Each structure stands twice: as structure tokens, then as C-alpha cells.
Amino acid sequence: MSPDPDPAARFAQRGRPYWLLGGAVMLLTATGLLVLAPVLISFSWWWASVAAIIVTGVSSALLRGWGVAPPLVPPLSFAALIVYLTFGFGGGTGLLLLLPTPDTIGEFGALLAEGQSSIQTQAVPAEATPGIVFLLSVGAGLLVLVADMLAVWLRMPALAGIPIAILAIVPTVVLRQDEQLWALVLVASAYLLLLRVDVRTRRGEEQAVTGAAGRDRAQGGARIVAATKQPGLGPLGGAIGVGSVAIVSALVLTAAVPVVSLGAPLGVGPPSTSLFGGAVNPLIDLGQDLRRPAPAPALAYSSTGARAVYLKMLTLDSFSGDSWVAGHSAFNESNTVDEFADPPGLGGNVATKEVRTSIQVAAVRSEWLPVPYPATSIEGLNGQWYWDSDALTVATTQSTIAGQSYVVNGLELSPTQQDLAASAKQYPGEIARYLELPGDMPPIIGETAEAVTAAAETPYLQAAALQKFLRGRDFNYSEETPVDEGFDGGGLRAIGSFLEVRAGYCIHFASAMAVMARTLDIPSRVSLGYAPGERTRQRLEGAVLYQVQTSDLHAWPELYFEGVGWVPFEPTPGRGTVPGYSLPSTAATSPVVPAPQASNGAVTGPDARSVDESSRSNTVADAAEARELLTRNLLLAAAVLVLLAVPWLARSLLAVWRRRRTVGGAGIGPLWQDLADTLTDCGHPVRDTETARARGATIRTILRDAGGESAEADAALERLLGEFERERYARPDAAGVARQADAQGILRDAAVLDAAIRGALSPHRRLRARLVPTSLFARVSAAFSPGQGVLSNTR
């Protein structure tokens, strides 16, 4: 006679491919990726990720079918994923296009760097650049690999949904996108299908081992269950119930869990995030930081130059229509800050002066260093820092600007109006790319640019006319209007709305001027950093000290003129300083002109706040921000603890319900079922076909082997066995009297035995049995088996 099968068999059978179960895992992973649809513009990334899922999942199934040892399946499947990535993203560098070479590794590194840069600088929804598609494909392959290990190899399909659930909350909790009900429904349905397929697979394994005799015994046990089980929801009701709970729980979590932003608020304070970092739009983050209740100190600097300086951190030079991104060059580790390259396009006729700028950063955290343009070298930095070949901006991958004190050696450029006027619209190939514009541009942008510059004859006069137009009385500086009107950001739609409403803040003025300049064939880009700040009476390194607040975060356009290079302009009213060369009516040697004061009501941002008010409110704002951060972290920690405690709570409530049934006259059956579940939770799966005495012998063996056997536990077990047999085989009236007379004694004996079984475990396994009750997951899976109730193990 064949041995009884173990329906709770833990590991996959060697030599079986498990195509249905593996296919359900691949479907769950593919649908799980759909929750990222609101984060990216196009849908091409999903097909590349699905291809990675199929290659990895099918490889795992084939390897299992070929009889490969289970521990070798994941690494070999990962190797298949590498082959796919080499073919799809290796750029032809692979051996036979499939096997990676050193050049392939270099190509992967470039894609990783490009993807990271795009994530840090793009808006949401973002363009799916090759780097982002590569990262998503790698992530999809690893995700299906983990889910396949859990669901197929370890036979724990319920846990396979955890990585997908974490992925599902990313758009809402991390990126602050609205929850997508359709995506959650698809993910929940795919998860239920995985559980259903697992049940069918287990049934098939059981029937294959048991044979006809085993099926007869199972039918006999089913008749006992049918005679004793209580009314319930049944398989269909259980599936609907679990699906509803999954969907509702996801929606509740996305609404209740506090927002954890990767890039905002920007500036100082406790959040361990990066200025202009995270998978969010740096322009929108800049606006969010400007809307802080009160500014805080960001840095202080002094310069030996003749004027206050703009401190550039990041240059956005590629415009896709939806956002500005830093898309044209990557940092080279050979570009160390001890020596910079010459500024692009700078001619020998432009007057320059060597200057030193000493900078002390406060609590700002960022990977982008505030640097005046153009720098020639930097002294005193901690960590490894590199400069960008085009923009000469400085960044790090292993440090932060917080607390840095450094000196920037650079040039103070003084181009004259004659220098700028002499520039023609003839640009070298590496500069012409800064003229790129999308084809679906709102007509108001080009029409406005043409109208404003109708009388301008040179690129310089056109640029000056654009700046004058944007700084005119028709435009107001407002940090709230773009949010209220729904056009915050620097994309085409935002610029079109800004030119209609004529109210916004620096990102709208800078983006509008940069895009309108490109329509006039003037190369342009947008720089982010800090405006010059406020001059004080103090001195640093022998020069006048300037204090810069978080409210001085700023965006400004830079336009390219052949023979001069990149030239900054200031189109934002009430912000920064207007360079003299940008005012055609002034003399060639005109000094920098302070920005004019806006009329009452025009400036609604930080310019309207006095320094005294800012100083008094800094402490209050920082304390409030710290309290808010602490509250968010505590709520997030509480939410995680609640999620971890759900299985333990469900198992505990089930045990309480069973005890109440026993007290209410249901007899020992519910407690016997709870005892079987305790055994399963503690790693001792029970069989539906074993007798009560056989199970009792198993319990004695467990306690004896673990040294936990005691007279009290043995006596409790003997009384429970006697009561169970008396209830099953005695006359109904006698059994009923016994139940009513000794219900409390049965409860005490069951508690003693439960404690003894759990006490035989190590502390670690005992905690795992509480937090991850295996019997509960098996009970949920069994609910999806057609025509079967939950086995009561009461034979």
C-alpha cells in the first residue's frame, strides 16, 4: 500500500516543470507592473519587461522539467535573464549577440547611469528612456525570479504576492499618484488565480500518489467533514471575500499611509532626501520648497568678484515637451574638481576676471554642488565629486553637500552688448541640439515669441526682448497661481497656460523664455540653483558675506551666443539680479542692475517676506517640520506592524471562535481542529487520513524529541483523546452530557497541550509560528478548491 500523501508538501517535486503554476506567477508579475503605468508616458517599457518575465519564468520551468536541482534553478534562470538583457540592451556587443562581454558590461553601466539620471530629473509621468526601460526589465526579471522561488520551489504562493503588493503602493505612497483601481483589480485577480492554480496543483500531486485507494479514504474523510462542518461561504464566497479584502485593503493603505516623497520637500531639515533628487520633477520640487511656511538658512558665501553670483546646481538641457531633463551628457569620473575644462563657446574677446568664491553649506542635502559658473577648480570638498562636460555642474554619487565648506576658483565673465550683438545664428553641431523642440507645441508659444521679437534684428536683441516682455507689468510673480490653476511644472502645457494666465514663479518664467528662444533658433537650457541671496555686513575670507535661504532656490534660462558661450538671463520679476548686458539701452560697461520691486500684490512669494519675520519663524518651522516627519514615520511604522500582525490576529481570532464553539456545545471538534493547526504552524503538518491515536502518538514523539514531554501534557493529551473518542463513538445522549459537563476542562487541557507543542520550539521558530501561521494560508488556499470544504482533521 502506498503511503498517505502529505497535502501540505512544502517543496516542489523534482522533474516537474509546473507550467501552470509558473505561468500564474508570470501573469501576476506582469499585471503587477501595470501599477507603474501612471508613472511613465508610453507603454513600450511594459513589453520589454514582459519579455524579461517570460524569459526568466520559462527558463525556470524548463530547468525544473529537465530535473535540475531546485537550488540551481534560480541562478541558471538569472543567467537566462542576462542573455536576454545582452540581446536586447547590449547594443550588439555580446558574443553571438547573446553572451555578455566586457563591452556589454560597459553598455549596461552606461544604461544604469542614464536611467538613474533620468529618474532623478524627469517629471512624473516620465519619458521611458532606454536607461529606464533597462532598469525596469532588470527589476521585472528579478521580481518574477523571487516570486517563482516562493510560489513553486518553496510552495508558498501566498507570500509570492508580497513583492507585488510593495510594488503596487509605489505610485501612490512614494510618487504621490492617484491609485489606479483597474490595476489593483487586475493584480488582485492574478493573485487569486495563483492561489487557485496552486490548490489544483496540490490536488493533482495528491491524487497521483494516492491512487484509487487513497481517493476512497479521502472520500470517507470528506463524508466525516460534511457531517461535522458548519455552514460557511463556500469556495466562491471565499474567493470573492478574499478578493474584496485585497482590493479594499490596497485602497485603504494608499489613502491612509502617509506620503513618503523621494524628492520633496526640498532644502533643509530631517528628511533624508536629495535636493533635485528622487523620481520626481526637480522643477515642481523647487516650487514645493518655495511654498514652505518659512524659509530656512541654506548656505553662505563670499566672492572676490565685483557682483553677487548665481550658484548653479543642475542644468536641464533636453526638452521633450512634458519636462526638462538633464539628458545630453553624463558625469565622467576622470573629470575631478581639481581642474575644469574651458567653458563651451567662450571666445578670447570676452573680458574675464579670476575670482574666488568661498561657500559654507548648512543642512541642505543634495548630490548636486552649488557652484558659480564657470568654475576652474574647487578646493576643500569632502568626498568624490565630478563635473559635467557640457554644463560644468558638479555632482557626487557617494557624498552630500550638507556641512561642506569649500572654495571655488572660477571666472567672472563680463560680455559686452557688442560681444553679444556680433553673434549670428550659426552654431556648431554639439550646440545645435539645444534647439530641439517637440512637434505638438501650443500655438501661443511661437506666436507670442514672434510678436514680442518682431522688431528685434539679432539673436541678442530677441533674447533681450523676451526678458523684457516677461519682466513687464503684465506678468505677476506667484507661487500659488500655477497650483490653483493646475499648470505647475515646465512642460508645454504649463508654458501655454502660463502665457495665458501670466502669473507664475521662476520655473515658468525660465521655461517660457527658454522654449520661446528655441522657437527663434537660439539655443537654450534651464539652470537650477540659488539666486544671489542677501548681502550682509559680515565678511567671509575677507569679502562681503551673502546669506542664502531656502526661499532663494531659483531657476533661470541660459542662452548660447557664438563667441561668448552660455549667457544667463533673469526673466523672473522680483527675483535675483538683472545683468547689465541684457539691457540694450544701457552702456556696454553698465554694472549689474538690482531687480525692480514689484507693485503691491504682485509678489506673493518669499520676496514679500522680511528678513526679521523669516528669522523669527525659522525655529518654529523647523520644529513643525520635525514633528511632521516624526508623525509620518511613526504612522508608517505602525502601518507596517499592522500588516505584519494581520496573520497572527486572524489566527488568534479563529482560535477564540473555536473555544467559544466548544463552550457553546459544539464539543471537542473545534479544539481538535485548532490542535491540528497548531501542529501545522509549528512545522509538523498533519494528515487528513490519520486516526486520533496516531496523531496523539505524533504529539508525544514531538514533545519527547524536543525534551518538552511532561506528566501534565501527557495527561492532558490522554484526556483529550478519550473525550474525542467518546464524542465520536459513544451514544449521542452520553456524549452530549459529557460535553456539557466538562467543556472548561477540555479548554484547559487544550491550552496545556498547545503551550507544550509551542514550547518545544526554539524562540525564533516559536515567533515565526505566531506571525506566519502556515495553517491559515493553507486554509485560505483550500477555500478555492471546487466542491471541497476546509478539512477538519477530525478523523
Side-chain angles (χ1 to χ4, degrees):
M1 180 181 295
S2 299
D4 289 333
D6 185 357
R10 178 108 181 228
F11 299 101
Q13 296 178 2
R14 188 167 178 176
R16 288 196 59 187
Y18 291 94
W19 284 111
L20 285 179
L21 196 56
V25 170
M26 289 187 280
L27 179 63
L28 175 62
T29 309
T31 54
L33 291 176
L34 290 175
V35 300
L36 298 179
V39 181
L40 297 165
I41 295 174
S42 68
F43 212 67
S44 58
W45 62 271
W46 188 77
W47 297 108
S49 300
V50 168
I53 290 172
I54 293 175
V55 169
T56 308
V58 170
S59 298
S60 298
L62 289 174
L63 290 168
R64 284 192 295 267
W66 292 338
V68 176
L72 296 180
V73 171
L76 292 178
S77 299
F78 179 74
L81 174 63
I82 296 298
V83 170
Y84 163 74
L85 295 175
T86 303
F87 178 78
F89 299 91
T93 59
L95 183 63
L96 301 178
L97 300 179
L98 297 176
L99 302 179
T101 63
D103 291 338
T104 306
I105 304 303
E107 188 73 16
F108 287 173
L111 286 170
L112 287 173
E114 190 270 332
Q116 182 182 16
S117 176
S118 296
I119 291 173
Q120 289 176 334
T121 57
Q122 283 204 71
V124 175
E127 181 181 356
T129 63
I132 290 179
V133 176
F134 176 75
L135 289 175
L136 289 173
S137 298
V138 174
L142 295 177
L143 198 61
V144 75
L145 195 62
V146 172
D148 188 86
M149 289 173 56
L150 291 172
V152 183
W153 178 21
L154 299 179
R155 304 307 299 274
M156 302 173 69
L159 298 184
I162 292 179
I164 308 300
I166 295 174
L167 180 66
I169 65 175
V170 167
T172 300
V173 177
V174 178
L175 304 180
R176 289 176 277 176
Q177 300 291 301
D178 293 336
E179 60 271 8
Q180 303 293 314
L181 180 60
W182 64 270
L184 293 177
V185 171
L186 287 178
V187 173
S189 301
Y191 181 62
L192 294 177
L193 178 63
L194 172 62
L195 297 179
R196 179 69 179 87
V197 171
D198 178 68
V199 172
R200 291 290 298 271
T201 303
R202 290 176 185 270
R203 294 295 178 192
E205 292 174 346
E206 179 181 353
Q207 293 175 2
V209 175
T210 307
R215 285 195 296 271
D216 291 341
R217 290 197 301 270
Q219 291 171 1
R223 286 193 292 270
I224 294 177
V225 173
T228 59
K229 69 178 183 179
Q230 299 296 315
L233 291 177
L236 180 59
I240 295 175
V242 173
S244 301
V245 169
I247 296 171
V248 172
S249 298
L251 292 175
V252 170
L253 276 176
T254 54
V257 175
V259 171
V260 182
S261 170
L262 294 180
L266 304 179
V268 303
S272 58
T273 56
S274 297
L275 187 65
F276 308 134
V280 288
N281 189 345
L283 297 180
I284 295 179
D285 277 352
L286 186 151
Q288 291 171 342
D289 198 69
L290 289 176
R291 288 186 286 270
R292 287 166 55 101
L299 57 86
Y301 75 90
S302 65
S303 175
T304 60
R307 56 180 181 263
V309 298
Y310 283 69
L311 298 172
K312 184 194 299 188
M313 300 177 72
L314 178 63
T315 296
L316 308 178
D317 49 22
S318 179
F319 186 65
S320 65
D322 296 292
S323 64
W324 287 91
V325 297
H328 282 317
S329 62
F331 285 93
N332 188 333
E333 292 189 359
S334 64
N335 293 347
T336 57
V337 295
D338 54 344
E339 184 179 4
F340 283 65
D342 294 332
L346 179 62
N349 59 319
V350 178
T352 62
K353 174 187 175 182
E354 293 185 356
V355 296
R356 286 173 60 87
T357 304
S358 301
I359 303 173
Q360 295 178 348
V361 182
V364 176
R365 281 184 289 278
S366 174
E367 61 183 11
W368 304 92
L369 191 71
V371 175
Y373 180 86
T376 56
S377 66
I378 302 179
E379 307 168 3
L381 278 176
N382 295 321
Q384 297 178 334
W385 298 80
Y386 310 98
W387 50 269
D388 176 86
S389 301
D390 290 340
L392 300 185
T393 51
V394 181
T396 182
T397 58
Q398 301 177 349
S399 186
T400 176
I401 67 174
Q404 294 275 5
S405 181
Y406 53 99
V407 176
V408 181
N409 299 304
L411 300 176
E412 185 177 75
L413 307 182
S414 300
T416 64
Q417 296 176 20
Q418 289 77 9
D419 294 335
L420 296 170
S423 176
K425 294 182 179 180
Q426 297 177 355
Y427 311 110
E430 64 270 16
I431 295 298
R433 61 189 181 186
Y434 295 97
L435 295 170
E436 295 173 357
L437 283 171
D440 55 346
M441 191 166 55
I444 189 175
I445 298 177
E447 293 171 358
T448 302
E450 291 290 343
V452 169
T453 62
E457 300 177 353
T458 65
Y460 162 63
L461 293 177
Q462 289 176 327
L466 291 176
Q467 177 182 267
K468 181 179 180 181
F469 167 69
L470 292 170
R471 295 187 66 89
R473 294 183 178 180
D474 292 338
F475 285 86
N476 292 329
Y477 180 94
S478 172
E479 295 161 5
E480 305 299 334
T481 299
V483 177
D484 296 339
E485 298 292 334
F487 63 87
D488 207 5
L492 286 176
R493 189 185 67 83
I495 295 173
S497 300
F498 165 71
L499 292 176
E500 293 177 354
V501 178
R502 301 202 170 188
Y505 52 98
C506 56
I507 68 171
H508 305 96
F509 288 93
S511 297
M513 181 168 178
V515 173
M516 287 194 292
R518 290 194 177 191
T519 66
L520 301 172
D521 293 330
I522 304 175
S524 64
R525 62 191 188 186
V526 174
S527 290
L528 305 181
Y530 287 100
E534 180 186 4
R535 181 187 177 110
T536 69
R537 295 184 179 182
Q538 302 175 4
R539 304 185 75 82
L540 176 66
E541 301 291 336
V544 175
L545 179 70
Y546 285 80
Q547 290 286 354
V548 178
Q549 306 288 317
T550 55
S551 56
D552 291 312
L553 277 171
H554 194 43
W556 63 92
E558 291 181 339
L559 277 58
Y560 183 86
F561 296 90
E562 186 63 25
V564 180
W566 290 103
V567 178
F569 285 79
E570 185 51 271
T572 306
R575 300 284 288 178
T577 58
V578 181
Y581 57 74
S582 67
L583 303 174
S585 59
T586 62
T589 58
S590 175
V592 175
V593 181
Q597 295 295 322
S599 59
N600 286 340
V603 179
T604 62
D607 285 21
R609 306 184 185 105
S610 68
V611 176
D612 292 339
E613 291 174 344
S614 299
S615 300
R616 285 195 300 268
S617 58
N618 281 348
T619 302
V620 177
D622 289 344
E625 185 175 341
R627 286 194 300 270
E628 181 182 1
L629 176 69
L630 179 61
T631 301
R632 287 183 175 182
N633 287 340
L634 289 177
L635 288 175
L636 182 59
V640 172
L641 290 176
V642 169
L643 285 176
L644 292 177
V646 166
W648 165 80
L649 181 61
R651 177 69 176 87
S652 300
L653 292 176
L654 182 59
V656 171
W657 176 70
R658 287 166 172 166
R659 288 196 292 270
R660 290 191 175 184
R661 287 188 59 205
T662 296
V663 174
I668 196 175
L671 291 182
W672 195 255
Q673 173 65 67
D674 198 69
L675 181 61
D677 286 354
T678 298
L679 288 170
T680 302
D681 295 341
C682 294
H684 310 292
V686 298
R687 295 175 177 172
D688 302 303
T689 55
E690 67 184 359
T691 65
R693 288 290 168 178
R695 186 168 302 166
T698 301
I699 295 174
R700 287 194 176 94
T701 301
I702 293 171
L703 297 181
R704 184 178 60 253
D705 292 345
E709 189 176 20
S710 67
E712 182 184 16
D714 188 70
L717 176 58
E718 192 62 35
R719 285 193 295 269
L720 286 178
L721 287 173
E723 178 62 26
F724 180 82
E725 291 172 343
R726 185 165 48 252
E727 181 178 305
R728 286 294 181 268
Y729 306 118
R731 296 194 308 273
D733 54 344
V737 172
R739 280 200 305 268
Q740 296 173 5
D742 201 25
Q744 294 300 326
I746 294 174
L747 290 178
R748 286 192 298 271
D749 289 339
V752 168
L753 207 54
D754 183 278
I757 295 172
R758 295 184 185 276
L761 300 176
S762 64
H764 172 73
R765 292 185 61 193
R766 194 181 310 143
L767 178 62
R768 179 182 177 184
R770 291 287 189 187
L771 297 180
V772 188
T774 309
S775 62
L776 186 66
F777 297 117
R779 184 167 297 276
V780 172
S781 297
F784 305 132
S785 179
Q788 298 288 338
V790 177
L791 296 177
S792 65
N793 295 293
T794 57
R795 185 169 178 172

